[in-house]
Amino acid sequence: MKITEHIANANGKTLFSFELIPPLKGESIQGIYNAIDPLMEFKPPFIDVTSLREDYIYKQHDSGLLEKLAYRKRPGTIAICAAIMNKYKVDTVPHLLCGGFTKDETENGLIDLQFLGIENVLVLRGDARRGDASFVPTPNGHCYATDLLQQVTNMNKGIYLHENHEGILKTDFCIGVAGYPEKHFEAPNLKTDFKYLKQKVDMGAGFIVTQMFFDNQKYFDFVNACRANDIHVPIIPGLKPLTTSKQLVNLSKTFHIDIPDDLSDAVHAAKSEKDVKEIGIEWTINQCKELVKFGAPVLHFYTMSNPAGPTKRIAQAIF
């Protein structure tokens, strides 16, 4: 079922969902199952699985020369989505990236998703490689999320890269895109952000998932501004509880977000990391209560590598 259908069928009730990172290369999928099992009592209608682009590693030869190699640490997004659907009978949302994938690889991946009955995708540009000063597109890949979105919408129309289009099977993906309540860090201003977000919706995006935030007013303002800009698709808030004091700096630096003064002050006053975790969980519980009252369609949790811990505590308080 499509994400938009899940939301419509909920008749205004806020749903629960979360996002997983694929295991490191060589690890068992059992770790994914162990992470999901404790959260299934909250009946998530869908689960996201991220996708990561390649990074570079350097292999030293006997001659002393270094060879630069492309290496993807966490492959298997499509296979993990299929395994989750088969085991738990829930929908999955694989992330599609520009970085690290050619147009042909993207098309082949979408064909595989179609074969597997996976109906939803989240289209993202993706991050720059570690060590690159800015995003560098993959040769014969996409530079912008709008370009990747266009490829998916083309396939929904039966337009493939190379084949004769007559009589070819059309895909039917429900497409999600990212939204940034605090502005994408590369955008000059929010007005520009809304311009491109509106373009994505006009091209066929069916829902928006936001970057994490810790100040609900930023989400409320973002939703209201979207509606004022004629963007009327569901806007799913992305959430992550703060669990360590280091995240005050790391999350702000990595995701270009603000930490509210009250939360920052509480963390600085905490006597231990255990106290910090409790502060972060309680903050997110209060966020969730406000978001449900506001009418958020889904509470979507960025669980990183620890889904069952703080996320379960928060879900128990809300659902």
Side-chain angles (χ1 to χ4, degrees), residues 69-97:
L69 301 171
Y71 175 78
R72 185 171 285 116
K73 293 194 300 182
R74 297 179 184 270
T77 296
I78 293 176
I80 292 167
C81 285
I84 291 172
M85 288 180 65
N86 180 64
K87 181 174 176 64
Y88 296 100
K89 312 305 178 190
V90 299
D91 286 309
T92 52
V93 185
H95 292 193
L96 300 182
L97 302 183

Side-chain angles (χ1 to χ4, degrees), residues 67-198:
E67 181 182 7
K68 187 178 182 181
L69 301 171
Y71 175 78
R72 185 171 285 116
K73 293 194 300 182
R74 297 179 184 270
T77 296
I78 293 176
I80 292 167
C81 285
I84 291 172
M85 288 180 65
N86 180 64
K87 181 174 176 64
Y88 296 100
K89 312 305 178 190
V90 299
D91 286 309
T92 52
V93 185
H95 292 193
L96 300 182
L97 302 183
C98 296
F101 300 90
T102 67
K103 297 173 187 176
D104 285 284
E105 287 171 334
T106 296
E107 181 174 284
N108 291 338
L110 289 165
I111 290 170
D112 287 345
L113 293 174
Q114 172 84 344
F115 288 157
L116 292 166
I118 295 172
E119 298 183 272
N120 303 284
V121 294
L122 186 67
V123 167
L124 307 162
R125 188 196 68 176
D127 298 324
R129 275 184 298 255
R130 187 174 50 200
D132 286 348
S134 59
F135 180 84
V136 178
T138 298
N140 195 35
H142 295 297
C143 187
Y144 301 105
T146 48
D147 300 328
L148 177 55
L149 174 61
Q150 186 64 67
Q151 183 173 5
V152 183
T153 58
N154 281 347
M155 290 181 64
N156 280 350
K157 299 173 185 175
I159 302 171
Y160 288 63
L161 291 175
H162 309 297
E163 278 74 18
N164 183 330
H165 303 148
E166 284 189 29
I168 199 165
L169 180 66
K170 297 179 182 180
T171 58
D172 188 26
F173 292 109
C174 180
I175 308 166
V177 294
Y180 298 87
E182 299 181 55
K183 185 182 80 64
H184 191 280
F185 74 100
E186 292 179 351
N189 48 56
L190 272 170
K191 181 179 179 181
T192 304
D193 251 2
F194 285 119
K195 171 187 172 183
Y196 288 114
L197 188 57
K198 177 66 163 62

Side-chain angles (χ1 to χ4, degrees), residues 28-42:
S28 167
I29 197 171
Q30 187 59 46
I32 292 285
Y33 296 155
N34 293 342
I36 292 174
D37 285 344
L39 298 177
M40 290 309 296
E41 66 177 281
F42 308 110

